[in-house]
Amino acid sequence: MELMDAIAARQKAAAEGGEVPAHHPEMLLIGCVDARKDPIDDLGIPKGSSLILRNVAALVHPEHEKRLTESAALAFAVRHMGVKHIAVMGHTDCGGIRAALEGISSYSLRDYLQPIYSLSEQVREDEDGLAAQRHMLEQEAVKYSVRNLRSYDYITEAEAEGRLTLHGWVLDIATGRIHVWDETADRFAPMVHD
Ligand SMILES: [Zn+2]
């Protein structure tokens, strides 16, 4: 079915009226615009339980750069909704990560992805082969974004008071498995084991 037909078919099935569902999100998930995995259907996040911000490469810039969409989503989630968790979820085979590693053509993307581009220089020194570099950069970008969450005073404060926990995840787009950053050990490990 064509995309627009699929949307129209769903519209026909939608009932008139109905109740507004309750909204008590416990988490803000920051993910990539990549359309291959869906947080609700594929990750099993129940509807209404997590706010979701998606941008290219799940990137969080430092507060002083004044990226308004990121800042607004963080303020809304933490200050107004009082979420208990923020998860930055990068993913494998990310076009944003590839663009930073392999060269960026568009100016606006170059500006936006500049921090990942900077990280990629170190990754290129540390790892041989494009696949290994990409894998490492996916992880480094998530770590960078989690650290940048702490450039917001109210996030640092909430974390210090135990009201908020920050998570760094890399979603394997092939398997749907999430690898979690253990910040103390500085390594990624599967969220669950077989
Ligand atoms: Zn991506």
Side-chain angles (χ1 to χ4, degrees):
M1 195 185 289
E2 292 291 327
L3 171 61
M4 290 302 158
D5 291 341
I7 294 171
R10 178 62 71 91
Q11 283 297 298
K12 277 187 191 147
E16 292 290 328
E19 269 181 41
V20 177
H23 198 206
H24 303 292
E26 291 174 33
M27 177 167 89
L28 168 65
L29 177 75
I30 301 172
C32 181
V33 291
D34 191 286
R36 287 169 291 179
K37 292 281 180 206
D38 178 82
I40 290 169
D41 289 339
D42 297 321
L43 299 189
I45 295 176
K47 278 182 186 167
S49 63
S50 179
L51 302 169
I52 298 171
L53 171 71
R54 300 183 94 164
N55 62 25
V56 174
L59 195 51
V60 179
H61 296 80
E63 186 187 24
H64 68 82
E65 286 195 18
K66 300 196 185 310
R67 306 279 176 164
L68 293 181
T69 309
E70 289 167 26
S71 301
L74 291 170
F76 179 68
V78 178
R79 308 187 96 161
H80 295 277
M81 301 303 276
V83 297
K84 299 188 187 104
H85 303 273
I86 301 178
V88 175
M89 187 179 74
H91 68 98
T92 59
D93 197 40
C94 181
I97 297 292
R98 234 185 3 241
L101 259 181
E102 296 168 17
I104 303 161
S105 52
S106 135
Y107 173 76
S108 49
L109 259 187
R110 197 161 50 223
D111 169 59
Y112 173 86
L113 289 173
Q114 183 56 44
I116 299 189
Y117 187 75
S118 303
L119 290 170
S120 76
E121 289 171 2
Q122 185 62 46
V123 165
R124 257 190 282 260
E125 276 179 31
D126 293 347
E127 291 285 343
D128 285 329
L130 200 53
Q133 289 172 352
R134 212 185 283 162
H135 186 58
M136 187 175 190
L137 192 54
E138 286 153 8
Q139 299 184 346
E140 290 302 314
V142 164
K143 287 157 60 174
Y144 172 80
S145 288
V146 171
R147 290 187 183 117
N148 282 340
L149 289 171
R150 299 195 180 107
S151 64
Y152 290 82
D153 287 345
Y154 61 85
I155 289 181
T156 315
E157 210 176 283
E159 193 184 21
E161 290 170 5
R163 289 183 281 116
L164 180 66
T165 308
L166 308 183
H167 308 267
W169 297 348
V170 175
L171 171 69
D172 187 318
I173 210 95
T175 63
R177 291 200 160 209
I178 293 172
H179 284 70
V180 177
W181 181 34
D182 175 342
E183 201 166 346
T184 313
D186 194 17
R187 64 187 183 91
F188 282 76
M191 182 181 282
V192 293
H193 298 275
D194 292 324

